[in-house]
Amino acid sequence: MYLFLMSVIILCNNPNSPIHIERASTFSGVITAFEFMVAIWMTLTDAKVGGRIAIGLLGFSVFSAAMSLVKTRDGAAAPGVCLMIAAIIAIMLIRHGMRKEQELSSIDMLTGIANRRSMVAMIHEYVERREPFYLLYMDLDHFKYLNDIQGHEKGDRVLRQVVELWQTVNCKQATLGRLGGDEFLCLVSRKEEVGIEDLASRYVSALSGWKDDDRYSGFYLSVSIGIAAYPEDARTGKEILRKADIAMYSAKKDGRNSFCKYDAWFDRAFLREQNVEIILREAFKNHKFYLVYQPQFETNTKKIHGFEALIRLNNGNGEQIGPGEFIPVAEKSTLIIEIGEFVLREATKDFAPYMREHRNLTLSINISAKQILSDNFVELVRGILEENNFPAECLEIEITEYCL
């Protein structure tokens, strides 16, 4: 289309062409206006290719009109020449503005690196070209608690510092991008040999040098990284994102502050997690949770100090799912808050009569840090204690070890 329009206008401006229209004719203004509109349309349609063709087209017209002006010494064409020069300048400004807008739309405004849209597009481009690459899926450990406790302004400042630290250890084949929140991607081209484990290790180690400006906060930075390879681990952009994400969660399970390469068995573990989540949701509807109580003894006197409430899950088909499996799954959703409320309500209800008579004993209950940080936690505990007439001094709340 571009070439067709360009050919027509060039023929109109060529004195030797059969469809040439003289500039002095009544159609000169129409031709100039038509050229201008076509050039603008080309630029707006495709700033990169169409804009270049438009500038070349108008440049040719300016040159042709200028040569005619020199030969005939007729000033009638001068306004048209000036208009087309102005059009060239306008198109150059439009191209610059569109290019700037495109750059901004592909950059994360907080950190200055590529944003989610840009990284996903780059992944799909590599897949379309069938060019091998590594994808690193990086998630900062416990960053949500920093945001919740010290505020989003502090969190934003820390995210910028993280990117600065990573850029000091980056390699030329790697492109860093931010997915959103505390999640990042790194696409590493494999055109040249690259030690992907060494790069991931440098990303992990880089954060050990970070120091909180509030020395009393006790917060430290670490990152969990999942690594997937194209085309070995995945065939599509969506698939490699998912598999790098699964590998990242495996790194978190292994203790965080580390990296993990994708393995095929991760898919089976991921499907098991999804199945456990479904079982958890059904368990609340069908009353499959129950509590057992473990006595706690004083080490010196061997006397009972109290009891710890432990939650158990009976799947209904004879399968017992241990808390070591279902609590970490519940931690990833709001299910952990429902579980915490269930344990708190049922345990205080069961032990209220006994504790009113034995106030020297304690009832220990495990509560998720996620629930403790919720806005209504204090009101929830107070309400349940009053509801069950349970003595507050006998309640001991512990943070679940899965959160630590």
Side-chain angles (χ1 to χ4, degrees), residues 139-202:
D139 184 87
L140 298 179
D141 301 321
H142 304 303
F143 183 79
K144 183 180 183 300
Y145 300 125
L146 173 75
N147 254 349
D148 292 342
I149 295 170
Q150 300 193 35
H152 291 278
E153 185 178 343
K154 171 66 175 288
D156 290 347
R157 187 164 67 251
V158 170
L159 288 175
R160 287 192 290 267
Q161 292 170 350
V162 166
V163 170
E164 288 172 6
L165 288 169
W166 281 342
Q167 286 175 331
T168 61
V169 298
N170 216 7
C171 67
K172 64 180 181 179
Q173 300 103 307
T175 302
L176 269 174
R178 181 174 172 234
L179 270 180
D182 60 350
E183 293 183 325
F184 296 84
L185 288 179
C186 180
L187 189 151
V188 185
S189 171
R190 293 165 63 185
K191 278 188 174 179
E192 299 178 23
E193 189 65 31
V194 58
I196 194 62
E197 293 187 14
D198 178 61
L199 178 62
S201 180
R202 294 205 304 268

Side-chain angles (χ1 to χ4, degrees), residues 32 36 39-40 55 58-59 62 78-94:
T32 301
F36 182 77
I40 294 295
I55 290 172
L58 290 175
V62 168
V81 172
C82 293
L83 178 62
M84 282 187 282
I85 291 174
I88 291 173
I89 295 171
I91 288 171
M92 292 174 70
L93 291 173
I94 291 171

Side-chain angles (χ1 to χ4, degrees), residues 332-343:
K332 296 176 184 177
S333 68
T334 56
L335 288 170
I336 193 64
I337 294 177
E338 296 180 55
I339 288 174
E341 184 175 343
F342 169 81
V343 174

Side-chain angles (χ1 to χ4, degrees), residues 238-298:
K238 187 176 181 180
E239 188 181 6
I240 196 168
L241 267 168
R242 184 180 67 83
K243 292 189 173 180
D245 187 23
I246 291 172
M248 182 271 292
Y249 275 110
S250 180
K252 282 190 179 293
K253 285 180 184 176
D254 290 342
R256 300 181 172 89
N257 195 33
S258 62
F259 63 87
C260 179
K261 295 182 78 173
Y262 173 80
D263 193 284
W265 75 267
F266 291 170
D267 275 330
R268 294 190 293 274
F270 181 71
L271 289 173
R272 173 61 179 172
E273 274 195 15
Q274 288 184 315
N275 189 42
V276 168
E277 184 172 348
I278 293 170
I279 292 171
L280 285 175
R281 295 187 185 280
E282 291 296 322
F284 278 107
K285 295 178 185 177
N286 302 320
H287 309 289
K288 300 296 183 183
F289 287 113
Y290 64 95
L291 299 180
V292 296
Y293 299 99
Q294 177 175 285
Q296 297 174 322
F297 294 90
E298 293 281 358

Side-chain angles (χ1 to χ4, degrees), residues 197-385:
E197 293 187 14
D198 178 61
L199 178 62
S201 180
R202 294 205 304 268
Y203 284 149
V204 172
S205 300
L207 297 194
S208 64
W210 179 84
K211 292 182 180 179
D212 194 349
D213 48 19
D214 179 4
R215 59 192 180 124
Y216 300 107
S217 71
F219 182 80
Y220 67 93
L221 272 179
S222 65
V223 63
S224 298
I225 303 176
I227 306 171
Y230 174 85
E232 293 88 344
D233 298 328
R235 295 294 178 180
T236 66
K238 187 176 181 180
E239 188 181 6
I240 196 168
L241 267 168
R242 184 180 67 83
K243 292 189 173 180
D245 187 23
I246 291 172
M248 182 271 292
Y249 275 110
S250 180
K252 282 190 179 293
K253 285 180 184 176
D254 290 342
R256 300 181 172 89
N257 195 33
S258 62
F259 63 87
C260 179
K261 295 182 78 173
Y262 173 80
D263 193 284
W265 75 267
F266 291 170
D267 275 330
R268 294 190 293 274
F270 181 71
L271 289 173
R272 173 61 179 172
E273 274 195 15
Q274 288 184 315
N275 189 42
V276 168
E277 184 172 348
I278 293 170
I279 292 171
L280 285 175
R281 295 187 185 280
E282 291 296 322
F284 278 107
K285 295 178 185 177
N286 302 320
H287 309 289
K288 300 296 183 183
F289 287 113
Y290 64 95
L291 299 180
V292 296
Y293 299 99
Q294 177 175 285
Q296 297 174 322
F297 294 90
E298 293 281 358
T299 54
N300 296 330
T301 64
K302 308 298 182 183
K303 291 182 179 180
I304 290 180
H305 168 71
F307 300 88
E308 181 179 10
L310 303 171
I311 190 167
R312 296 292 183 262
L313 172 58
N314 185 347
N315 194 18
N317 57 3
E319 180 186 11
Q320 292 282 339
I321 301 176
E325 183 176 13
F326 71 76
I327 291 294
V329 174
E331 285 281 359
K332 296 176 184 177
S333 68
T334 56
L335 288 170
I336 193 64
I337 294 177
E338 296 180 55
I339 288 174
E341 184 175 343
F342 169 81
V343 174
L344 186 60
R345 179 168 274 110
E346 293 301 312
T348 53
K349 178 181 171 182
D350 289 346
F351 269 80
Y354 187 76
M355 289 300 182
R356 286 196 294 270
E357 296 179 6
H358 302 83
R359 293 183 179 247
N360 61 318
L361 300 179
T362 59
L363 175 64
S364 179
I365 294 175
N366 290 298
I367 297 292
S368 166
K370 184 182 289 186
Q371 185 160 22
I372 291 175
L373 290 171
S374 64
D375 294 335
N376 68 334
F377 177 68
V378 174
E379 289 76 11
L380 175 70
V381 174
R382 184 184 292 118
I384 290 176
L385 292 179

